[in-house]
Amino acid sequence: MNAGSGGYGSAGEDTRAGCVCPPCRCAAPSSRSQGQNRHSGRNGARGRSLGRSRVRAVARARGAALSPNTVRTYATGWNSFCSWADAQGVDVSSAGSDDFQGWLVDLAAEGKRPSTLRTYRAAVVHRYSEWGGANPARDPQVGRVLSGLRRQAAQAGYVPKQAAPLRHHHIDLIAETAFEPRNNQPGGRLETPEQAARRALVDIALVSVAHDGLLRCSELLAIRWGDVVAAENSGGTLIYVRRSKTDQTANGAYIPVSQFASKALERIKPPNADPDALVFDMSAGTVARRLKAVARTAGIDAENISTHSPRVGMAQDLAAAGFDMAAIMVAGRWSTPAMVALYTRRLAAADSTIAKHLQTRQTHPSQQRPRNTNTTPQAA
């Protein structure tokens, strides 16, 4: 699988390292590579050179259309289909709608979530689109099977998990308990007070900045010290988000953070910090583990705490403070209101016109306690 044949990865690189399917089943349907040279004649050598250069440039541009996370996710979905096809004796270059339907049904039987099935199908659709020609993964019958599997999962009691929120009061609890030493050293040893203090300062900065900025994990980990700037008018602190999931062309956005988060950043900033150095130089997995750890220490149920929890928490804090959906969408850099509505639905229901009306309803007469509580029959 190479860039010229629609593989995932940078142009000119062999991306078969991430693919588990056999070479014969991973090739594009056409025997002619998209990068095959068609130049000949008097300028053949020059034409071949320009052709190869152009193919590499085209492949680089096409590869840049997807974010690295999407590339990895699509590679996982495509590898899943290739492995299934190999086990079934199906050649992916000639697979049909029935094959994709069977693959999705088998994945559901293995316990894959509806969201995973949808993503995997998108990965296969993308691969066949890269190859050009017919795209059997787009067949309406495949979509109907996917819808049916989603309905069956709902009937079986499946409920999509949502990240538990980390709201303002949670961050207060985290700040109060973060300095407690933990048994996280090699061999299960307890942290020294100095180690606990260094770790706690980073934890507090991590969760408060992620919360105030409604930051996705990728945005949080991309912040550099040069992106932390003073606001010109208010005297507060702004963080420059260079790009985001909804800003793939890197127009950028400045987001404000609280004085609490600003001071937390000051406490972990190295002397003479390099403007290009990352503020939080760690992996997404490390962020998730640290958030779960600070939540547990603060007495917060950490089962559904994830890297998205501070973002969900701030969305709920804004909704509780009376900000409308449009304002929350702008603050969180959402392109549609769907996720905002999902994150704030409980607060919205409690604050709805109907809920307020029900709060004013008087007790029904039949539920009022009788004044005379003596139910003993009176003597005649």
Side-chain angles (χ1 to χ4, degrees):
M1 187 194 315
N2 53 48
S5 61
Y8 299 110
S10 302
E13 296 179 357
D14 182 4
T15 56
R16 280 204 54 80
C19 184
V20 299
C21 51
C24 62
R25 301 191 188 282
C26 194
S30 173
S31 60
R32 168 178 282 184
S33 169
Q34 294 179 17
Q36 184 174 349
N37 174 53
R38 297 181 178 87
H39 296 279
S40 60
R42 186 170 51 187
N43 296 322
R46 180 174 179 271
R48 282 191 294 273
S49 176
L50 289 175
R52 287 192 294 269
S53 176
R54 186 180 298 110
V55 166
R56 287 193 292 269
V58 168
R60 282 195 297 269
R62 287 166 58 187
L66 299 177
S67 71
N69 284 339
T70 301
V71 169
R72 286 190 290 270
T73 302
Y74 276 13
T76 301
W78 175 249
N79 287 341
S80 171
F81 177 66
C82 287
S83 297
W84 180 90
D86 186 52
Q88 301 296 320
V90 174
D91 190 333
V92 297
S93 65
S94 58
S97 173
D98 290 344
D99 297 317
F100 295 112
Q101 295 173 49
W103 170 55
L104 292 173
V105 168
D106 286 351
L107 287 179
E110 294 172 5
K112 296 294 185 184
R113 296 176 297 179
S115 58
T116 301
L117 301 183
R118 184 172 62 251
T119 302
Y120 279 16
R121 184 208 182 189
V124 175
V125 166
H126 179 267
R127 174 55 61 88
Y128 277 85
S129 296
E130 289 287 288
W131 284 348
N135 195 331
R138 286 189 183 275
D139 187 87
Q141 296 302 321
V142 178
R144 291 188 64 182
V145 167
L146 195 59
S147 298
L149 292 172
R150 185 166 56 247
R151 184 182 293 272
Q152 288 177 349
Q155 292 172 345
Y158 169 77
V159 178
K161 284 188 177 181
Q162 177 182 313
L166 285 176
R167 299 184 59 182
H168 281 305
H169 61 279
H170 294 132
I171 294 177
D172 290 341
L173 290 173
I174 288 171
E176 292 172 1
T177 58
F179 290 88
E180 296 178 7
R182 301 180 195 152
N183 297 95
N184 58 10
Q185 298 302 297
R189 291 184 291 105
L190 188 68
E191 292 176 312
T192 65
E194 293 76 14
Q195 290 172 328
R198 287 195 298 269
R199 187 259 312 143
L201 291 175
V202 175
D203 286 343
I204 293 171
L206 187 77
V207 67
S208 60
V209 170
H211 171 272
D212 291 0
L214 292 102
L215 294 173
R216 301 175 178 91
C217 188
S218 59
E219 298 167 349
L220 178 69
L221 296 181
I223 299 173
R224 302 176 185 274
W225 284 114
D227 298 329
V228 182
V229 298
E232 296 179 357
N233 300 327
S234 64
T237 299
L238 299 176
I239 293 177
Y240 182 62
V241 177
R242 302 187 180 203
R243 63 181 296 173
S244 67
K245 182 178 179 180
T246 53
D247 178 24
Q248 292 296 310
T249 55
N251 291 319
Y254 285 98
I255 59 172
V257 296
S258 64
Q259 290 186 355
F260 179 85
S262 178
K263 291 180 179 178
L265 285 172
E266 290 176 5
R267 294 189 186 101
I268 66 170
K269 185 175 182 178
N272 302 317
D274 182 353
D276 291 328
L278 294 172
V279 175
F280 303 108
D281 191 5
M282 60 186 73
S283 67
T286 299
V287 174
R289 288 190 293 272
R290 294 184 81 133
L291 290 178
K292 283 182 176 291
V294 294
R296 280 193 296 267
T297 303
I300 302 167
D301 184 359
E303 180 179 357
N304 292 323
I305 295 294
S306 74
T307 58
H308 229 53
S309 292
R311 180 172 167 85
V312 176
M314 183 58 169
Q316 293 187 2
D317 284 333
L318 291 176
F323 288 88
D324 60 24
M325 186 172 292
I328 299 175
M329 285 179 61
V330 172
R333 300 164 301 286
W334 278 287
S335 57
T336 67
M339 296 310 298
V340 179
L342 177 64
Y343 294 155
T344 62
R345 58 184 176 178
R346 290 181 63 179
L347 292 173
D351 196 43
S352 66
T353 304
I354 295 176
K356 292 177 179 177
H357 168 72
L358 293 174
Q359 291 296 323
T360 63
R361 183 181 177 187
Q362 299 297 321
T363 304
H364 192 275
S366 65
Q367 295 177 315
Q368 293 180 354
R369 186 176 181 178
R371 292 183 179 179
N372 183 8
T373 58
N374 184 6
T375 58
T376 304
Q378 298 294 323

